[in-house]
Amino acid sequence: MKICVLGLGYVGAVSAACLAQEGHEVIGIDPEQTKVDIINAGRSPIIEQGIGEIIEEQVANGRLCATVNVAAAIPYSDMLILCVGTPSLPNGGLDTRYVQRACEQIGEVLRNQENAPIVVVRSTMLPGTMREVVIPTLEATSGRHAGADFGVCINPEFMREGTAVYDYYHPPKTVIGELGKSSGDILASLYADMPGPVIRTDIETAEMVKYADNAWHALKIGFANEIGNLCKGVDIDAHRLMDIFCQDTKLNISPNYLKPGFAFGGSCLPKDLRAMLHKAQTLDIALPILAAILPSNQAQIERGVRAVMDKGRRKVGILGFSFKPGTDDLRESPVVELTERLIGKGYDLRIYDRNVRLASVHGANRDYILNHIPHISRLMVSDIDEILAHAETIVIGNAEAEFRDIASRLDAHQNIVDLVRISDSRSVAGVYEGICW
């Protein structure tokens, strides 16, 4: 394939060199003549392990060259890969002027050529940038329609400086956000021999993936450092502790607890967080990330209350009252707090939870139910039909299997606020509200 790479920084230089090494004919484009001259001399414009040897070899065999002339390179390319920078603005946003300028240059060339290449964006961009900047600019300057007259994809990179060549050939995943299937097919063919999953999705999700990844990486570093600071304060070897922590791939290093939903509760997480923060305070050790967890959790409860209130219906039914399915444990259940808040605001509630109802008769939580929340226990009903007969808004409070078909049982005047994503549905105004999807 004939490929044009626009932008020869870390991502662009590595992508161009590796694509050439895979047998493609690659032209790199950069506005800096010095960078272009360095590549054409068979040298690397960046310091990166292994990249110099690849560039030297690929320039020598004629598969890689560079130019500052956009108009001379694009007409001979099957695919254009944008790797231009998106630096930070003073307000924390991104400067997309370089991306926009590159798209203008591409569009000006596309206007006057019959066959249009696929435009692939590799730059890291906030969700909405493809729809609000890239595609409109390409269409306005070319006079052609994206998805019909030329293909558009976004293909975020997952390379680390210092190991970028290794990461290129050993990606944890390959993500393709595609405007149309045909362009996605062609881009996916570039990665046919790569390890790891190839994931094809919509453009906005592909834009967001890189940000979710990097936020998680930053959070992990901050988390490990705060645990380390507390360990040092109590004379524990933090590296030994985290070695043990990382051996748990069932709960700690795993997909568990990484699906958006409602607040956490129960007897362990809130209590243990408070105890750890208290210990740190006695040692005068600041743990700002860990200290932010409980306020963040509280904000999710507020979000749930607001979602119910925004429906404007006074009759509310709650399905699932314990903090997670398969238990009668109400200790620090966020659904209990949501219920208390709605009662305080005058809502007419009914509550159904098979496990909690049984516990109120003979379970371990009987004392808690009868002595701590008797006003709530009086609102509990014996089956789902009583909830459906009463409520205009139904709140899904936990993921019990018996709630999965609830949407099919609603009348036209009823709506759902789902705190756990009981199905694969996305929010639909006036019908179904997912708390964060």
Side-chain angles (χ1 to χ4, degrees):
M1 193 181 298
K2 295 180 178 180
I3 299 173
C4 183
V5 177
L6 289 85
L8 296 173
Y10 266 89
V11 174
V14 172
S15 297
C18 291
L19 285 166
Q21 184 166 252
E22 291 170 10
H24 302 285
E25 297 179 34
V26 181
I27 301 176
I29 300 177
D30 199 278
E32 292 186 30
Q33 184 68 53
T34 302
K35 199 177 289 186
V36 167
D37 291 341
I38 288 172
I39 287 181
N40 286 333
R43 294 182 286 115
S44 174
I46 61 172
I47 304 298
E48 184 64 46
Q49 185 177 5
I51 194 67
E53 295 84 351
I54 297 174
I55 290 176
E56 181 181 16
E57 180 182 327
Q58 298 311 313
V59 170
N61 65 28
R63 282 202 292 262
L64 175 63
C65 65
T67 180
V68 296
N69 192 339
V70 175
I74 290 178
Y76 304 101
S77 301
D78 304 308
M79 181 178 293
L80 311 178
I81 301 179
L82 272 71
C83 299
V84 298
T86 51
S88 291
L89 293 169
N91 65 1
L94 290 184
D95 186 348
T96 59
R97 289 177 298 170
Y98 302 108
V99 171
Q100 187 167 7
R101 179 55 186 148
C103 290
E104 289 170 349
Q105 293 174 315
I106 292 169
E108 289 162 4
V109 177
L110 294 185
R111 178 179 288 274
N112 299 311
Q113 76 178 62
E114 183 177 347
N115 296 320
I118 298 167
V119 180
V120 178
V121 179
R122 199 95 157 119
S123 306
T124 300
M125 302 188 307
L126 288 166
T129 308
M130 290 290 289
R131 301 277 186 188
E132 296 166 12
V133 176
V134 171
I135 293 173
T137 303
L138 288 169
E139 290 184 330
T141 52
S142 70
R144 305 171 82 166
H145 297 290
D149 300 323
F150 61 92
V152 176
C153 294
I154 181 165
N155 177 214
E157 49 82 21
F158 304 101
M159 298 184 294
R160 300 163 293 174
E161 291 187 24
T163 60
V165 173
Y166 177 87
D167 290 344
Y168 181 91
Y169 287 113
H170 302 85
K173 57 185 176 289
T174 297
V175 178
I176 296 172
E178 56 194 34
L179 191 62
K181 183 179 183 300
S182 58
S183 56
D185 287 343
I186 296 171
L187 179 55
S189 70
L190 283 184
Y191 303 112
D193 297 325
M194 290 288 188
V198 176
I199 302 156
R200 296 172 64 170
T201 185
D202 60 273
I203 282 174
E204 289 78 10
T205 300
E207 286 175 307
M208 187 64 191
V209 162
K210 184 67 179 291
Y211 287 95
D213 282 18
N214 282 349
W216 178 235
H217 301 159
L219 179 60
K220 286 195 293 184
I221 292 168
F223 170 81
N225 288 342
E226 289 195 4
I227 292 294
N229 293 339
L230 182 56
C231 283
K232 184 174 182 179
V234 294
D235 196 26
I236 292 172
D237 185 333
H239 278 243
R240 182 179 298 169
L241 177 107
M242 292 307 289
D243 283 342
I244 297 170
F245 173 92
C246 290
Q247 288 184 50
D248 181 351
T249 57
K250 180 179 180 180
L251 299 178
N252 290 350
I253 313 298
S254 76
N256 283 291
Y257 308 125
L258 282 174
K259 286 291 182 71
F262 199 37
F264 61 77
S267 61
C268 296
L269 302 189
K271 175 180 69 71
D272 291 351
L273 264 171
R274 282 192 290 264
M276 187 161 54
L277 292 169
H278 173 74
K279 183 64 175 180
Q281 189 174 28
T282 65
L283 298 170
D284 198 25
I285 295 172
L287 304 177
I289 292 174
L290 296 174
I293 295 174
L294 288 171
S296 174
N297 201 54
Q298 188 62 36
Q300 196 71 344
I301 296 175
E302 297 285 344
R303 187 180 180 91
V305 172
R306 175 53 57 187
V308 176
M309 294 176 61
D310 286 347
K311 296 302 178 187
R313 310 288 182 86
R314 306 305 296 179
K315 293 184 176 182
V316 175
I318 295 177
L319 296 177
F321 197 47
S322 58
F323 81 99
K324 68 177 182 178
T327 178
D328 63 351
D329 196 346
L330 298 177
R331 288 173 292 182
E332 301 209 43
S333 168
V335 185
V336 171
E337 182 170 344
L338 177 141
T339 302
E340 295 269 23
R341 295 279 302 279
L342 293 175
I343 291 172
K345 294 179 181 298
Y347 283 80
D348 184 4
L349 268 65
R350 299 292 184 275
I351 303 162
Y352 170 78
D353 189 308
R354 177 180 54 193
N355 296 315
V356 174
R357 182 172 60 85
L358 293 172
S360 68
V361 178
H362 51 65
N365 273 326
R366 175 181 169 81
D367 177 71
Y368 180 86
I369 294 167
L370 297 181
N371 295 314
H372 292 79
I373 53 170
H375 56 299
I376 293 179
S377 66
R378 289 192 291 268
L379 302 176
M380 297 193 70
V381 298
S382 59
D383 60 53
I384 294 176
D385 288 339
E386 292 184 68
I387 294 288
L388 297 177
H390 167 79
E392 297 165 310
T393 294
I394 289 97
V395 177
I396 310 294
N398 66 38
E400 285 286 356
E402 62 180 323
F403 304 151
R404 288 176 187 163
D405 68 341
I406 201 67
S408 65
R409 301 173 62 182
L410 300 188
D411 291 334
H413 72 283
Q414 294 175 308
N415 58 70
I416 292 176
V417 173
D418 187 355
L419 305 180
V420 299
R421 197 158 199 178
I422 200 70
S423 69
D424 289 332
S425 300
R426 295 272 311 269
S427 292
V428 179
V431 179
Y432 171 86
E433 184 73 27
I435 189 171
C436 48
W437 52 85

